[in-house]
Amino acid sequence: MVQKSCFVRWIRVLYSNFSCFTHDQEYLISLHGQPNSQKFDYVEGFVIVDEGLINNWRSSFFSPSNPVKISSVSSSGNVLYCLEITKNYYHHSDLETVNQVLQL
């Protein structure tokens, strides 16, 4: 059995505007029924709430010393919304097609 190597183009997009975040997320999810060349292989959205967003934007998890409190979510600018998307491809020659999908 021959195994193919798989390459992944991974993108993380940060939003400060919830409406833009949900609009883009809903659009990406709506592509699910499209041909592979017109959709992404993975779409995930999440919220980052932390006091040190600038230093910790790569992690959406809270430390045990700073438990999640719904009341802490406010318009004070300590909230970011994030979309992670990936597109898989098997040959470097497919990278141009992958880049076209990413421009949707």
Side-chain angles (χ1 to χ4, degrees), residues 6-18:
C6 179
F7 302 96
V8 177
R9 177 62 65 100
W10 173 71
I11 295 176
R12 178 179 266 185
V13 183
L14 295 173
Y15 296 79
S16 60
N17 182 290
F18 182 74

Side-chain angles (χ1 to χ4, degrees), residues 1-101:
M1 180 172 161
V2 177
Q3 291 185 344
K4 290 184 177 182
S5 295
C6 179
F7 302 96
V8 177
R9 177 62 65 100
W10 173 71
I11 295 176
R12 178 179 266 185
V13 183
L14 295 173
Y15 296 79
S16 60
N17 182 290
F18 182 74
S19 294
C20 291
F21 163 73
T22 56
H23 175 268
D24 288 356
Q25 185 177 32
E26 288 173 4
Y27 172 73
L28 293 171
I29 291 169
S30 76
L31 298 175
H32 179 69
Q34 298 297 317
N36 283 337
S37 63
Q38 298 175 13
K39 66 180 180 179
F40 294 94
D41 296 300
Y42 175 80
V43 176
E44 180 179 349
F46 54 91
V47 178
I48 302 171
V49 181
D50 199 341
E51 295 167 358
L53 284 176
I54 301 301
N55 296 323
N56 297 318
W57 69 270
R58 290 187 173 102
S59 175
S60 60
F61 299 100
F62 299 97
S63 72
S65 64
N66 186 14
V68 178
K69 295 180 183 176
I70 297 300
S71 62
S72 70
V73 178
S74 68
S75 61
S76 65
N78 291 336
V79 176
L80 288 178
Y81 310 96
C82 183
L83 284 178
E84 286 187 339
I85 55 176
T86 68
K87 183 69 182 162
N88 302 336
Y89 60 103
Y90 295 96
H91 303 284
H92 288 290
S93 61
D94 296 333
L95 188 55
E96 183 176 330
T97 303
V98 169
N99 289 335
Q100 289 173 356
V101 171

